Amino acid sequence: MGLLDGKVAIVTGAGRGLGRAHALLLASEGARIVVNDLGGEWDGAGTDNRPAQQVVEEIKAAGGDAVANYESCSNWTAAEAMIQQAVDEFGDFNILVNNAGILRDKMSYNMDESDWDSVIDVHLKGHFALSHFASVYWRTKSKAGDEIYARIINTSSESGLFGNAGQTNYAAAKAGIIALTVATAREMGKIGVTANAIAPRARTRMTEMTFGGFGETKEGEFDMFAPENVSPVVGWLASPAAAEVNGQTFVVWGSEVQLVRPW
């Protein structure tokens, strides 16, 4: 028996890093997963179907159930279709983990319009597009008299909480995600939907490209920055145990979890 038996989840950016770890953990708890990943580079360039499909194969090899989705989460039409894919494949949809992201780091005086637009698009619009269509689905079910089990788990950053030089685009997007989370929680909580955010510290392609040597660990030491350390909090927020937790942001890394006060 898993905490999430019978539940259906979408995890965006799940082909690598944090998203992959989240998808594997949710699947291990019994959730059926739509593994979304465009397969682009860390800056958003290109596409590749292999990362998402490989995670699907990992989940199935471990006895779980999953399907791949290769679309951009910020594409409005694709976001709507992704929710429908979950329903068509598995009969329902319960958990949305918005994780996909890119970086275009530059100082503000060197940043061009495309650097700004692409980061805001993938992070902030990508979070909103799927949250919007998920909310439409759950609200329709609620109006029909169905009981709602629904979770939105967004991915912010300490850059969004505290700011980081060279990341005005990323910091603005991640701060916007926290505001989006709180507003969504207030709008949807009345029908049983919770919306929360995490600000993870983990060793991923993005952090390794931004901070040289980030998260290096000596052999035999606890790997504080392994993405897998963050995923249990995602699993908890997706579970019945967190039914009363709504509109909150948690900084998560290693064995640490910090609840963040609003501005």
Side-chain angles (χ1 to χ4, degrees), residues 150-239:
R151 307 282 192 267
I152 297 174
I153 302 157
N154 291 330
T155 307
S156 183
S157 167
E158 288 173 282
S159 183
L161 288 165
F162 309 118
N164 192 35
Q167 291 190 321
T168 51
N169 49 4
Y170 182 75
K174 290 303 194 182
I177 285 168
I178 295 174
L180 171 66
T181 301
V182 175
T184 303
R186 290 179 173 174
E187 290 179 353
M188 298 299 292
K190 60 189 176 184
I191 66 166
V193 181
T194 67
N196 296 285
I198 60 168
R201 297 181 198 170
R203 184 180 54 256
T204 66
R205 285 193 306 168
M206 288 170 61
T207 54
E208 287 179 328
M209 292 298 295
T210 304
F211 310 105
F214 179 87
E216 290 183 353
T217 304
K218 294 180 181 179
E219 186 175 352
E221 290 184 348
F222 171 60
D223 190 355
M224 183 177 297
F225 296 105
E228 291 78 11
N229 297 329
V230 176
S231 299
V233 175
V234 174
W236 170 68
L237 287 170
S239 79

